[in-house]
Amino acid sequence: MAPRLTPKRLKALQNAVAHPKGNIGPLIETTDAGEKIWLRPTDEIALEELGYADSIDDCGHVQGSPDPEHIHRGHPHFFSITEAGRQAVRDASQ
């Protein structure tokens, strides 16, 4: 089955839009009852397959993409929202 944008995954993207660097953290939210809702590895994979998130450094380099000059090799990469993910958040808010 093809991955889809579930409410939990959308909430993770919405949180990333609000994050200064667009990072997606594992804790999505804490409910009024104190229940913590976490992003699972299957959610991360789905967001990557949808093109909404990837492992990106501060320069915008996606980990695993070509780096012929090896300038990104030592840069830390974080699970972050992509422009397609930002568009998905905008589309969902309309």
Side-chain angles (χ1 to χ4, degrees):
M1 179 169 24
R4 59 188 177 87
L5 186 59
T6 64
K8 181 170 78 168
R9 294 170 186 165
L10 177 60
K11 179 66 176 168
L13 293 178
Q14 290 167 332
N15 292 347
V17 167
H19 187 279
K21 292 188 176 186
N23 294 348
I24 300 173
L27 179 61
I28 297 173
E29 67 181 317
T30 303
T31 66
D32 292 337
E35 177 189 8
K36 293 183 178 182
I37 300 176
W38 300 92
L39 194 67
R40 296 179 183 211
T42 53
D43 296 314
E44 291 182 5
I45 291 168
L47 289 172
E48 287 178 344
E49 288 179 358
L50 290 165
Y52 296 158
D54 218 322
S55 181
I56 306 170
D57 70 8
D58 287 343
C59 303
H61 176 257
V62 175
Q63 192 170 19
S65 66
D67 182 17
E69 296 174 11
H70 306 293
I71 59 175
H72 300 283
R73 181 173 284 173
H75 295 178
H77 289 73
F78 300 95
F79 193 57
S80 303
I81 192 169
T82 63
E83 185 52 42
R86 291 180 188 281
Q87 185 62 50
V89 171
R90 287 190 292 269
D91 292 346
S93 66
Q94 293 178 356

